Amino acid sequence: MTNKETERTERIFRCRERVLPLGKKTYIMGILNVTPDSFSDGGQFFTIERAVEQAHRMIEEGADIIDIGGESSRPGFAPVDEEEELRRVLPVVAALSSRLDAPLSIDTTKAAVARKALDAGAHIINDIWGFQKEPALPRIAAETGAGVILMHNSDTGVYGDIIADIRAFFTRSAAIALDAGVTADRIVLDPGIGFGKDTAQNLAVMRRLREFADLGFPLLTGTSRKSLVGNVLGLPAHDRLEGTAATVALSVAYGADFVRVHDVKAMKRVAAMTDAMTRFFPYAS
């Protein structure tokens, strides 16, 4: 084993009491939207029973993490208040934390939702604004030992050099987290495909994913069924499996440690095959 391979296998992601070794495989984050209006699966898992069933199904298909969201972030989404978001997600988090061994992520921008979800058993805060909108989130993460996913987003979609701008955003987000007491091994970065970016910008980010590696944090991509795929292939959200597979394979080849997906079984296979070809792996000579 080379020094580079040894170094990669020693990287870890901590989320509360869980420790996920990085470098040997890509982790699959299964999407569980407890919403009536998410762009791809809104309303499908809007009851506790259906949400729990879907989470179990995703674990059986190979998901390593379940990401639970109670507010859609699709373009033109209708915001929900804190009380409604809590009503949607807390029973699901509580039910899954007592039944699943996998880490649970709470996809929220609200401090109270994050705090109560962590109290109910969640392990990760997934913030689509990278700790740059809600000042209480970093402190909650530090106090609880939660892992954090800091996603790039933009209100304007206007960039100079989009990669340089995203790197600067990430630098600010990481500094906010570290200054609050979140340790570096609890931070993951997400370039935010589909958020504040048009199709050309999303494609540019995908082509240049490697340029985020030297920031020193693991990378997550969330491309599943996104408009990036739909616009390139001219397909509706329910028919974007192959296009999503291409984005997942490229993400893995370009260094992503986590991929956030709807179609767990298929994308687990895509990631595993790409891992075998691009990472240190038992089959490698």
Side-chain angles (χ1 to χ4, degrees):
M1 185 184 298
T2 67
N3 288 338
K4 184 176 181 181
E5 287 167 346
T6 302
E7 185 177 305
R8 289 184 74 181
T9 59
E10 291 174 348
R11 296 166 57 239
I12 60 171
F13 173 56
R14 295 184 188 275
C15 46
R16 307 193 83 173
E17 74 279 5
R18 308 298 181 95
V19 178
L20 304 182
L22 304 175
K24 286 191 175 182
K25 76 165 195 173
T26 302
Y27 288 93
I28 306 297
M29 174 181 276
I31 299 169
L32 185 61
N33 287 319
V34 193
T35 61
D37 58 345
S38 291
F39 81 97
S40 173
D41 56 358
Q44 291 186 36
F45 314 113
F46 197 44
T47 67
I48 297 172
E49 295 77 12
R50 284 190 176 183
V52 170
E53 288 174 5
Q54 175 65 1
H56 280 283
R57 184 179 302 112
M58 289 193 290
I59 293 296
E60 290 170 2
E61 292 179 349
D64 301 292
I65 302 165
I66 302 296
D67 188 44
I68 303 161
E71 179 178 42
S72 173
S73 54
R74 65 178 176 82
F77 75 97
V80 299
D81 61 26
E82 178 183 300
E83 183 179 355
E84 173 61 15
E85 190 173 344
L86 285 167
R87 187 189 68 78
R88 294 177 182 182
V89 301
L90 275 190
V92 176
V93 173
L96 293 179
S97 67
S98 64
R99 303 180 197 185
L100 296 182
D101 190 42
L104 303 178
S105 168
I106 181 67
D107 181 357
T108 189
T109 60
K110 299 181 180 69
V113 174
R115 168 70 77 179
K116 292 183 180 180
L118 291 165
D119 289 345
H123 305 83
I124 300 165
I125 300 171
N126 183 5
D127 177 18
I128 64 169
W129 283 103
F131 282 178
Q132 295 190 36
K133 290 283 190 179
E134 172 47 75
L137 280 176
R139 175 175 48 79
I140 292 168
E143 290 173 355
T144 60
V148 300
I149 299 168
L150 304 178
M151 197 192 84
H152 172 268
N153 210 335
S154 170
D155 286 317
T156 66
V158 176
Y159 306 96
D161 178 325
I162 190 168
I163 302 304
D165 290 350
I166 293 173
R167 284 173 58 91
F169 181 100
F170 280 157
T171 299
R172 289 193 298 274
S173 289
I176 291 167
L178 294 168
D179 288 348
V182 179
T183 56
D185 58 2
R186 299 180 188 275
I187 297 173
V188 172
L189 304 178
D190 175 357
I193 296 297
F195 288 82
K197 304 169 188 70
D198 63 23
T199 299
Q201 292 165 341
N202 285 320
L203 288 169
V205 172
M206 291 299 297
R207 293 187 193 107
R208 298 174 66 184
L209 283 174
R210 291 190 182 104
E211 296 181 44
F212 303 119
D214 65 355
L215 293 171
F217 301 100
L219 189 67
L220 177 148
T221 59
T223 58
S224 184
R225 303 181 186 174
K226 291 271 181 82
S227 62
L228 165 65
V229 177
N231 291 341
V232 169
L233 299 180
L235 294 171
H238 69 269
D239 195 19
R240 298 174 183 172
L241 183 69
E242 298 89 350
T244 296
T247 64
V248 167
L250 187 75
S251 296
V252 175
Y254 282 8
D257 289 290
F258 303 85
V259 290
R260 182 178 179 273
V261 301
H262 299 87
D263 303 290
V264 169
K265 185 176 181 179
M267 297 311 134
K268 179 78 170 183
R269 292 174 177 176
V270 170
M273 190 67 219
T274 312
D275 280 337
M277 294 184 290
T278 62
R279 296 180 186 267
F280 169 73
F281 198 74
Y283 297 118
S285 59

